[in-house]
Amino acid sequence: MRSLEQSGYSETNARMEDLVKDVPGFLGMDHAQTPGGLGITVGYFRDADALTEWRNNAEHRAAQERGQAEWYQSYTLHVAKVERSHGFTRVHAPQSPTTD
């Protein structure tokens, strides 16, 4: 949950999004946030070595420290292995049934 003080957050967030793209093995990320400030970011990495490189990045560490001091009231970090992933994308709108 974010705190009321957000000065510099957007710039730092944008910088982290650019920086993580340079980590070999970074696959992408997804974001979602409620109007009340509850948010989730999911980062995808090829393997534990790629994740470790990101975790140990000095600029990322400094951003985490600033986040704990200024921007977040609380957060939870989960590290998990994706065993399977499934998705669906509608190509075009379904046709309405016609009656004769």
Side-chain angles (χ1 to χ4, degrees):
M1 203 56 135
R2 288 199 201 167
S3 65
L4 295 177
E5 173 54 46
Q6 294 296 295
S7 176
Y9 178 85
S10 294
E11 297 82 2
T12 301
N13 184 58
R15 172 65 182 143
M16 292 302 103
E17 287 187 11
D18 285 341
L19 188 63
V20 72
K21 292 174 186 174
D22 294 334
V23 174
F26 172 71
L27 303 174
M29 70 175 69
D30 295 316
H31 303 281
Q33 186 167 342
T34 67
L38 179 62
I40 182 171
T41 299
V42 180
Y44 302 97
F45 295 84
R46 180 183 55 236
D47 53 32
D49 290 339
L51 180 57
T52 298
E53 183 170 335
W54 176 237
R55 186 181 66 229
N56 293 335
N57 178 284
E59 196 173 344
H60 178 224
R61 290 283 230 198
Q64 286 178 315
E65 290 172 10
R66 186 172 180 196
Q68 292 170 358
E70 298 177 32
W71 300 319
Y72 291 102
Q73 294 175 2
S74 66
Y75 67 82
T76 302
L77 174 69
H78 300 280
V79 177
K81 183 176 180 180
V82 175
E83 295 291 336
R84 181 178 12 191
S85 181
H86 174 81
F88 169 80
T89 302
R90 183 178 306 276
V91 178
H92 45 80
Q95 299 293 322
S96 297
T98 59
T99 58
D100 292 316

